[in-house]
């Protein structure tokens, strides 16, 4: 009797283990460049909005609609995509790097599927620091290409495309020009990724714990909407400071600390959230498009892998 029980117990233990080992293979990691592609697609769709934002800062236009009309009037509808190659360069350097570094940072920190928010935020901040440095040249190229036609003709760079901009910057201004503004850019990238990437993962895993959501496009939409709002709020102070420092003329130029002191004295603490709504209007659709596109690309990778497995069987 004892022998028969031991045999049954052995079979009961052995069957699930063998089934698990043969039926559930360890999931392969997704291609490291997937995030860069998703961000490039999203940025291409929202490029006219980003272009308008840059030109509003560089010209005397009073609003988004006026700036859009001016662009169409002077350059036609194709003008809404001026500097698109700079956007592609920026996304395929900065965004590709940040998604890759975020996944690697999560592995390093042991941040699994149900990791606490602080671990996700730390991983996002680490990724932002790396991506902010790597993507700085692309950031400069993108801003210059987008803002060029908003300047008087004699002050334009007249770059042909992103690579022409990159080569001319090095040749005419030296290689150090590629690191211009790298400090504020890294600081903003740390805040952006600690809030945007981490909050998306956090909201997604919290939604999946409820009975109302499954891992589908509806869950991705709600999680990315929440992530865009968090990212806009967290990054608002850095964006305001960066804009005020970069738009100051030579005589008005001041350190970050001086700008903070002056703004606090004249406007109070809420100056850090000036322009929150326009920033949210621009960042929100971009954030949603990035994550929804990324999730669909992952589904496509899973689908192609399943087809290859069927063919091999």
């Amino acid at each position: 009797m004892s022998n028969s029980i031991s045999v049954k117990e052995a079979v009961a233990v052995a069957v699930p283990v063998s089934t698990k080992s043969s039926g559930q293979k360890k999931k392969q990691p997704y291609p490291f460049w997937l995030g860069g592609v998703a961000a490039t697609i999203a940025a291409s769709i929202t490029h006219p909005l980003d272009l308008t934002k840059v030109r509003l800062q560089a010209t005397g236009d009073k609003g988004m609609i006026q700036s859009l009309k001016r662009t169409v009037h002077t350059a036609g509808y194709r003008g809404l995509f001026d500097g698109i190659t700079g956007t592609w360069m920026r996304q395929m350097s900065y965004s590709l790097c940040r998604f890759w570094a975020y996944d690697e940072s999560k592995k390093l920190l042991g941040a699994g599927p149900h990791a606490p928010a602080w671990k996700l935020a730390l991983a996002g901040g680490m990724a932002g620091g790396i991506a902010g440095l790597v993507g700085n040249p692309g950031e400069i190229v993108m801003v210059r290409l987008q803002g060029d036609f908003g300047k008087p003709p004699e002050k334009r760079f007249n770059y042909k495309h992103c690579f022409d901009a990159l080569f001319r910057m090095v040749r005419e201004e030296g290689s150090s020009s590629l690191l211009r503004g790298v400090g504020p850019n890294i600081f903003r990238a740390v805040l952006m990724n600690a809030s945007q990437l981490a909050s998306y993962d956090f909201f997604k895993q919290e939604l999946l714990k409820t009975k109302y959501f499954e891992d589908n496009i509806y869950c991705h939409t709600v999680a990315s909407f929440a992530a865009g709002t968090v990212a806009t709020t967290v990054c608002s102070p850095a964006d305001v400071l960066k804009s005020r420092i970069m738009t100051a003329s030579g005589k008005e130029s001041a350190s970050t600390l001086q700008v903070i002191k002056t703004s606090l004295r004249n406007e109070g603490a809420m100056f850090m959230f000036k322009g929150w709504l326009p920033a949210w209007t621009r960042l929100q659709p971009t954030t949603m498009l990035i994550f929804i596109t990324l999730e669909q690309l992952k589904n496509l990778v899973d689908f192609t892998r399943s087809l290859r497995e069927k063919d091999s069987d």
Side-chain angles (χ1 to χ4, degrees):
M1 183 75 176
S2 59
N3 290 337
S4 63
I5 293 173
S6 61
V7 170
K8 287 179 181 179
E9 288 175 345
V11 171
V13 171
V15 168
V17 171
S18 61
T19 303
K20 185 176 180 180
S21 61
S22 61
Q24 295 180 353
K25 296 180 181 179
K26 187 178 179 181
K27 195 170 186 179
Q28 298 178 39
Y30 293 103
F32 74 94
W33 43 262
L34 217 57
V37 172
T40 301
I41 294 170
S44 298
I45 295 171
T46 60
H47 181 79
L49 291 176
D50 202 39
L51 179 72
T52 302
K53 185 255 320 183
V54 171
R55 291 186 175 175
L56 276 171
Q57 294 174 345
T59 66
D61 294 338
K62 296 181 180 179
M64 182 177 289
I65 302 300
Q66 181 183 350
S67 184
L68 284 168
K69 286 181 177 179
R70 179 177 176 179
T71 299
V72 173
H73 178 72
T74 56
Y77 286 101
R78 289 183 62 183
L80 296 174
F81 292 90
D82 282 340
I84 189 70
T85 60
T87 297
W88 293 340
M89 173 176 278
R90 192 249 186 181
Q91 297 302 336
M92 288 306 291
S93 55
Y94 166 73
S95 287
L96 186 150
C97 182
R98 74 183 178 122
F99 278 100
W100 167 80
Y102 180 58
D103 288 337
E104 294 302 314
S105 298
K106 285 197 293 184
K107 292 176 188 176
L108 186 66
L109 296 171
H114 303 289
W118 70 267
K119 271 194 176 183
L120 297 174
L122 181 57
M126 291 165 64
I130 297 169
L133 177 62
V134 172
N136 199 70
E139 185 86 25
I140 298 171
V141 168
M142 181 187 73
V143 171
R144 287 191 175 189
L145 283 171
Q146 289 181 352
D148 216 26
F149 283 97
K151 298 178 180 179
E154 66 275 8
K155 293 185 179 181
R156 293 176 185 173
F157 293 106
N158 292 316
Y159 297 137
K160 296 175 183 177
H161 45 70
C162 61
F163 295 110
D164 180 50
L166 199 64
F167 297 146
R168 280 181 53 190
M169 279 174 60
V170 174
R171 186 173 67 248
E172 297 169 8
E173 304 172 48
S175 56
S176 61
S177 65
L178 301 178
L179 294 178
R180 184 170 292 144
V182 68
N185 194 41
I186 288 177
F187 179 61
R188 184 185 182 280
V190 169
L191 291 179
M192 174 60 73
N193 289 280
S195 55
Q196 189 188 57
L197 297 183
S199 61
Y200 175 76
D201 272 355
F202 174 77
F203 285 122
K204 180 182 173 182
Q205 69 186 24
E206 290 301 309
L207 289 171
L208 291 175
K209 290 178 184 177
T210 70
K211 62 181 181 179
Y212 304 105
F213 288 93
E214 297 178 359
D215 193 358
N216 55 29
I217 194 168
Y218 302 109
C219 176
H220 307 155
T221 300
V222 174
S224 60
F225 182 89
T229 302
V230 171
T232 303
T233 306
V234 171
C235 293
S236 181
D239 279 340
V240 172
L241 288 173
K242 186 178 78 168
S243 296
R244 294 191 177 194
I245 292 168
M246 289 184 173
T247 54
S249 63
K251 294 180 180 179
E252 299 171 338
S253 61
S255 67
T256 302
L257 189 59
Q258 286 175 313
V259 171
I260 293 173
K261 285 181 178 179
T262 304
S263 300
L264 281 172
R265 185 173 61 249
N266 297 336
E267 305 169 63
M270 289 306 292
F271 87 90
M272 294 185 292
F273 298 98
K274 279 202 167 182
W276 184 92
L277 186 59
W280 180 83
T281 304
R282 182 180 63 88
L283 183 61
Q284 188 69 5
T286 304
T287 301
M288 294 178 70
L289 281 168
I290 286 174
F291 287 114
I292 292 171
T293 304
L294 179 59
E295 296 284 5
Q296 296 307 308
L297 289 174
K298 286 180 178 179
N299 289 340
L300 182 61
V301 170
D302 289 337
F303 177 70
T304 55
R305 283 175 177 172
S306 66
L307 288 181
R308 284 199 298 267
E309 287 176 4
K310 287 181 181 179
D311 292 340
S312 62
D313 291 342

